[in-house]
Amino acid sequence: MPPRIKKEDLTSKARFIFQGSVAELATSKIEGPSAVVRVDSVVRAPDTLADAVGSNVTVFLAPNEKITKGDSAVFYTNPAQWGENVCVRSLGHTVPGPQAAASRLMAAAPAKSLQAQRLEEQVRAADLVLTGTVSAVRLPSEESPALALRAARAPRSQPSKRISEHDPLWSEAVIDVHDVHKGNAQKQVVIRFPSSNDVRWHKAPKFQPGQQGVWLLQKKDVAPGRQPAVAAALRSAAGAVKVPAYTALHPADFQPIDQAESIKTLIQASKPNK
């Protein structure tokens, strides 16, 4: 019997979910019990495993997970080793019943890559989706010399904080809007993005004038300031608060222009039926 774990928990934690047939069992001193499993259909996969149907993968079984040669099961796994042989670590498995219509539908459904799933999640979460062109990149508006000087001279309510190496170093991108697919926008939209290449921010999109594409934006409260001296003054000045702004923080927040039609289709599909 597979470990008694809720299917919902397995689904949320597994990157590679597939239905397969156990071809043989094995064990090793390092990894413990394992099984060679033929992939019959893919439910969820990273892009590199989306075409795994028909191939064999080695599944390192979870503690107390039991399975028998010849079994057909749905395996919830995460990739472990790449190369000539693909190895995955099992979180658990479920055995579909003989009349499980859902499992038959699952087997027939095309694999949906992790990248496609993340894009769907970004579309649902976005407050504003638009296509456009970057017309300018600049420092945040509150960092004008006059405002920075005013902040530096203002009475301080608390000691200045040390600027962290993980600070995002906000920049603003001015987007000339071509089309709005979700939400409302004028002819131009200003967004905040981290210009820092620190490990915390290096995957966030960086923008340059002339870039075209699709933006999936959320409005968030962000701390003001980019340049360390100005940021310190703004943060320690009395009344300095976070600034509401559209942000692009996740790699999926910016998509190539040729994805516009696919994104519009996802938006339409996410609308509730009236």
Side-chain angles (χ1 to χ4, degrees):
M1 294 292 290
R4 296 182 66 82
I5 305 175
K6 290 184 179 180
K7 183 178 178 180
E8 293 79 7
D9 293 337
L10 293 174
T11 302
S12 66
K13 296 176 181 177
R15 295 180 59 214
F16 182 36
I17 305 174
F18 65 95
Q19 182 164 345
S21 304
V22 179
E24 58 183 278
L25 301 176
T27 189
S28 72
K29 293 181 179 179
I30 298 176
E31 296 293 346
S34 64
V36 176
V37 181
R38 174 185 170 84
V39 180
D40 298 324
S41 63
V42 174
V43 181
R44 173 191 296 172
D47 292 339
T48 50
L49 291 176
D51 298 325
V53 174
S55 61
N56 289 338
V57 299
T58 298
V59 179
F60 301 137
L61 300 179
N64 301 318
E65 184 176 12
K66 304 296 182 183
I67 200 161
T68 304
K69 182 178 179 179
D71 282 353
S72 178
V74 177
F75 293 87
Y76 300 81
T77 73
N78 286 313
Q81 297 177 13
W82 302 97
E84 185 176 348
N85 298 316
V86 175
C87 301
V88 297
R89 298 189 191 282
S90 177
L91 301 175
H93 68 271
T94 58
V95 179
Q99 303 298 324
S103 64
R104 291 197 299 271
L105 288 174
M106 179 188 64
K112 183 183 292 184
S113 72
L114 199 61
Q115 182 179 2
Q117 293 174 54
R118 286 175 178 166
L119 180 57
E120 289 184 12
E121 293 169 0
Q122 294 299 107
V123 167
R124 286 195 296 269
D127 300 309
L128 178 64
V129 180
L130 59 87
T131 53
T133 301
V134 179
S135 60
V137 174
R138 66 194 188 193
L139 291 178
S141 55
E142 74 268 10
E143 289 197 18
S144 68
L147 287 177
L149 182 61
R150 186 183 310 166
R153 291 176 175 174
R156 297 185 177 183
S157 58
Q158 57 185 358
S160 298
K161 295 181 180 179
R162 179 179 177 274
I163 300 301
S164 167
E165 69 272 19
H166 299 305
D167 278 4
L169 301 179
W170 296 113
S171 288
E172 287 185 344
V174 181
I175 312 298
D176 291 339
V177 178
H178 301 168
D179 197 5
V180 178
H181 312 300
K182 181 181 179 182
N184 297 293
Q186 302 299 318
K187 293 182 179 180
Q188 283 190 331
V189 169
V190 178
I191 68 171
R192 292 283 174 100
F193 68 95
S195 64
S196 171
N197 287 314
D198 176 75
V199 63
R200 182 175 177 180
W201 305 105
H202 76 280
K203 290 185 179 180
K206 317 295 185 200
F207 301 115
Q208 298 293 332
Q211 275 185 288
Q212 289 188 330
V214 187
W215 280 265
L216 295 83
L217 304 173
Q218 297 183 51
K219 181 161 279 191
K220 298 184 177 182
D221 290 336
V222 298
R226 178 183 189 277
Q227 300 300 330
V230 176
L234 285 165
R235 290 175 182 178
S236 60
V241 295
K242 290 189 175 183
V243 178
Y246 286 116
T247 58
L249 305 179
H250 191 281
D253 288 343
F254 178 70
Q255 298 290 326
I257 195 72
D258 59 9
Q259 291 293 312
E261 292 302 319
S262 297
I263 290 171
K264 286 193 284 186
T265 300
L266 290 175
I267 292 171
Q268 290 298 322
S270 68
K271 291 181 178 179
N273 295 325
K274 295 183 177 179

